[in-house]
């Protein structure tokens, strides 16, 4: 049985008490998912390197920084200095993903490529040997708390099969609308890493919610 990683997203957490937000997932999460939005590629603005550094200072977990920004290459260094361990960017923002990947790898960090729900899997195929993980969005990026678009899920298998055919292995991360009610589907689709935002942080008992998801992932 493969171990599936849990990546809680802080997007719906209380940013006035990040210590508490991180304490909820302590000993449960594998990695912390941080959603960076620029008000340009997506119609919302969240935070930048300053907040990533603040999170870095209060947790030892790896930081998975999801860049929903129009010019990722220009900011990779700032996020690395702030403490990012994994950095992903969208295929939709660049004609030369290999250049962004090179910048991330040049700074010794894990590189991920992200695709929106409407972007077909084959557009990722040329980069499967270059990245460490592929992030499949199951909501239109921009906001937490949206309902999953299940039609995006079959892309996970499509991408994994092609990676296998090319003799490379990579992790596939699923992000958007994941909750206990659809976790089985997400796991069966082949997810290696699941991002969970509002289903943890908007729950009345965030730690209990995170524990329940962990139990499901471990007890399949
Ligand atoms: C959406 C973000 C996601 C999302 C996760 O643009 O990339 O990480 O907010 O939150 P939930 O789980 O609430 O969809
Ligand atoms: Zn995200």
């Amino acid at each position: 049985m493969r171990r599936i990683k849990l990546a809680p997203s802080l997007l719906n957490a209380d940013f006035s008490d990040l210590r508490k937000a991180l304490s909820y997932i302590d000993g449960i999460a594998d990695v912390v998912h941080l959603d960076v939005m620029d008000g340009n590629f997506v119609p919302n603005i969240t935070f930048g390197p300053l907040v990533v550094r603040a999170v870095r200072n209060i947790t030892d977990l790896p930081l998975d920084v999801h860049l929903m920004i129009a010019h990722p290459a220009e900011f990779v260094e700032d996020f690395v200095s702030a403490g990012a361990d994994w950095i992903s960017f969208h295929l939709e923002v660049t004609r030369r993903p290999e250049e962004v990947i090179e910048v991330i790898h040049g700074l010794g960090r894990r590189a991920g490529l992200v695709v929106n729900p409407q972007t077909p899997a084959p557009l990722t195929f040329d980069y499967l040997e270059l990245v460490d993980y592929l992030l499949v969005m199951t909501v239109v990026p921009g906001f937490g708390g949206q309902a999953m678009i299940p039609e995006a899920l079959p892309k996970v298998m499509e991408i994994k099969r092609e990676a296998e055919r090319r003799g490379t292995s990579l992790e596939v991360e699923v992000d958007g609308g994941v909750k206990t009610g659809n976790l089985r589907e997400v796991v069966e689709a082949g997810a290696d890493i699941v991002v969970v935002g509002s289903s943890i942080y908007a729950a009345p008992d965030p730690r209990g919610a995170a524990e329940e998801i962990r139990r499901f992932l471990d007890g399949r």
Side-chain angles (χ1 to χ4, degrees):
M1 196 180 83
R2 70 188 203 284
R3 182 186 152 86
I4 296 171
K5 291 178 185 160
L6 174 59
S9 159
L10 293 185
L11 192 56
N12 278 83
D14 175 2
F15 275 69
S16 70
D17 199 346
L18 283 173
R19 253 178 232 285
K20 194 177 191 182
L22 286 155
S23 75
Y24 291 143
I25 57 169
D26 189 38
I28 300 173
D30 295 282
V31 53
V32 181
H33 186 86
L34 297 170
D35 289 300
V36 175
M37 306 187 188
D38 67 351
N40 183 359
F41 173 60
V42 289
N44 191 12
I45 298 178
T46 54
F47 52 79
L50 216 68
V51 170
V52 173
R53 186 183 300 276
V55 174
R56 174 74 295 157
N57 288 338
I58 50 178
T59 181
D60 292 328
L61 285 168
L63 303 184
D64 164 23
V65 175
H66 174 190
L67 297 179
M68 285 160 273
I69 67 177
H71 303 288
E74 292 173 25
F75 295 96
V76 167
E77 205 174 332
D78 291 346
F79 284 101
V80 168
S81 307
D85 300 286
W86 307 8
I87 299 183
S88 62
F89 64 96
H90 277 254
L91 178 60
E92 297 84 7
V93 302
T94 170
R95 294 234 294 261
R96 301 195 193 291
E98 58 275 29
E99 290 178 3
V100 189
I101 296 165
E102 219 177 286
V103 176
I104 300 169
H105 280 161
L107 292 164
R109 298 301 186 270
R110 298 189 87 213
L113 186 65
V114 191
V115 280
N116 278 345
Q118 298 81 1
T119 303
L123 294 184
T124 68
F125 290 173
D126 283 346
Y127 312 106
L128 297 181
E129 284 126 305
L130 303 179
V131 289
D132 302 290
Y133 60 104
L134 219 301
L135 200 171
V136 172
M137 292 299 305
T138 43
V139 297
V140 175
F143 300 92
Q146 304 180 73
M148 176 179 285
I149 302 168
E151 291 78 15
L153 274 180
K155 271 197 281 191
V156 177
M157 255 318 152
E158 232 183 306
I159 289 166
K160 291 182 84 162
R161 283 215 186 92
E162 180 64 17
E164 204 171 299
R165 202 185 66 78
R166 291 176 182 238
T168 183
S169 67
L170 84 177
E171 290 181 305
V172 180
E173 182 169 12
V174 170
D175 183 9
V178 179
K179 54 182 183 186
T180 45
N182 57 27
L183 208 47
R184 183 171 300 281
E185 259 176 275
V186 172
V187 166
E188 282 173 1
D192 302 295
I193 307 158
V194 292
V195 176
V196 185
S198 52
S199 293
I200 292 176
Y201 284 105
D205 170 16
R207 190 165 177 89
E211 276 167 352
E212 192 185 341
I213 292 163
R214 180 83 266 168
R215 267 197 304 274
F216 176 85
L217 294 177
D218 291 347
R220 294 167 295 121

